[in-house]
Amino acid sequence: NKLDQLIVVREYEEKFLRDKYNCVIPEMYNEYFYDLHGMLFTIVHKRLAYNIFLENLTKKEYSEIYDYTKFGRKYYKYFAWLVYKNKGRQIYLLLKLRSIILKNISILKRN
């Protein structure tokens, strides 16, 4: 699973920064949520099974890192909050809506 690989990479980065520099950068934690968003969006956009969506949503305990994130865009703040609160259905609907909007924007640009 691609998300598993991304999580391993992020955890390695986190360990490296803690061990080498005794610090962690909020942007690194943001990457966990960006990775998760990308994977979940792909699942929704490709209309894969909902159970695949839920399996990927629970790959990591995201509530552990939520407090360290610093998103500039409200969309990602909201997405991360939904993940933190474990609101699978709402996340699915948010990503479905985003997929529909992006699809319609693409159609409008072609016309």
Side-chain angles (χ1 to χ4, degrees):
N1 186 317
K2 196 172 183 179
L3 184 58
D4 290 331
Q5 294 169 356
L6 290 169
I7 289 171
V8 168
V9 168
R10 297 289 172 238
E11 288 175 348
Y12 178 78
E13 290 172 343
E14 179 181 1
K15 181 177 177 1
F16 175 79
L17 286 172
R18 283 190 191 278
D19 292 349
K20 180 96 173 158
Y21 299 105
N22 197 27
C23 74
V24 178
I25 308 165
E27 289 79 8
M28 181 187 64
Y29 291 115
N30 293 2
E31 293 300 321
Y32 278 105
F33 286 103
Y34 289 135
D35 293 342
L36 178 65
H37 181 273
M39 293 298 127
L40 296 179
F41 182 78
T42 300
I43 291 167
V44 170
H45 190 68
K46 291 186 176 184
R47 298 179 182 172
L48 300 177
Y50 185 66
N51 65 330
I52 295 172
F53 174 86
L54 290 178
E55 286 171 15
N56 279 274
L57 181 59
T58 58
K59 291 283 184 185
K60 179 167 178 58
E61 182 57 51
Y62 289 95
S63 63
E64 295 172 353
I65 62 172
Y66 175 75
D67 292 334
Y68 299 105
T69 59
K70 304 269 188 258
F71 292 104
R73 293 184 58 202
K74 289 183 182 182
Y75 172 82
Y76 287 107
K77 285 181 187 178
Y78 183 61
F79 172 78
W81 181 82
L82 288 173
V83 171
Y84 171 70
K85 293 294 187 178
N86 199 22
K87 303 287 187 180
R89 186 75 181 144
Q90 290 89 339
I91 296 166
Y92 182 84
L93 293 173
L94 174 71
L95 295 173
K96 185 120 178 109
L97 177 62
R98 184 176 177 92
S99 178
I100 291 168
I101 290 170
L102 291 175
K103 181 180 170 184
N104 285 321
I105 288 172
S106 165
I107 292 169
L108 289 172
K109 284 183 178 180
R110 278 187 266 143
N111 294 335

